[in-house]
Amino acid sequence: MRKIATFLVLVTVLYTSNSCSKHDDEAIVDCFGDSILTELKHSTDGTNSKIINYSIQYGGSNTITSVKWTFGDGKTETINTSTGAVSHTYSAAGTFEVKADVTIKKGDGSCTVSPKKSVTVN
């Protein structure tokens, strides 16, 4: 816990010392903070174990504008909703690394956080 607190203080000091002006501060979105608040969720379809339902759970106060999904099987899909909810059908069983590039907007600025998760398909 002490290491995390030290890291957060260091990030805050670096962020504050590298800010150019008030206008720049207002346009910058804290991607580190938003990455902590963004989680990739999944569940298996009840009738077909190769269909996986994905969504994003975001606990921040900014707005999700899009989610680009990379399913780990060579396929991608971009969703323009705040939850990024999508279903994906895998053609074979296996373990896949799924990534969601979540674009978050705040005022005139935006950033992208990319949570990942290993998903096993039966």
Side-chain angles (χ1 to χ4, degrees):
M1 187 68 172
R2 179 177 258 164
K3 288 180 183 181
I4 292 173
T6 303
F7 177 75
L8 291 175
V9 169
L10 179 61
V11 168
T12 303
V13 169
L14 288 173
Y15 173 76
T16 304
S17 67
N18 289 321
S19 297
C20 298
S21 69
K22 184 175 180 182
H23 183 272
D24 290 341
D25 290 347
E26 292 170 353
I28 295 172
V29 175
D30 179 8
C31 281
F32 178 72
D34 281 323
S35 68
I36 294 171
L37 301 170
T38 307
E39 186 177 355
L40 189 160
K41 298 283 197 174
H42 80 284
S43 63
T44 305
D45 184 83
T47 59
N48 184 344
S49 64
K50 290 191 175 41
I51 298 174
I52 307 294
N53 303 307
Y54 294 103
S55 65
I56 293 298
Q57 183 175 348
Y58 175 65
S61 60
N62 299 316
T63 304
I64 293 176
T65 57
S66 69
V67 180
K68 179 183 178 190
W69 292 97
T70 303
F71 300 108
D73 62 353
K75 296 184 179 154
T76 64
E77 186 170 348
T78 300
I79 305 296
N80 295 315
T81 66
S82 62
T83 64
V86 65
S87 290
H88 181 70
T89 304
Y90 289 88
S91 60
T95 300
F96 302 91
E97 178 152 309
V98 179
K99 180 174 85 166
D101 294 322
V102 182
T103 302
I104 300 170
K105 179 176 173 37
K106 177 182 177 186
D108 294 334
S110 67
C111 72
T112 300
V113 297
S114 301
K116 296 177 184 179
K117 179 180 256 190
S118 182
V119 175
T120 300
V121 177
N122 297 319

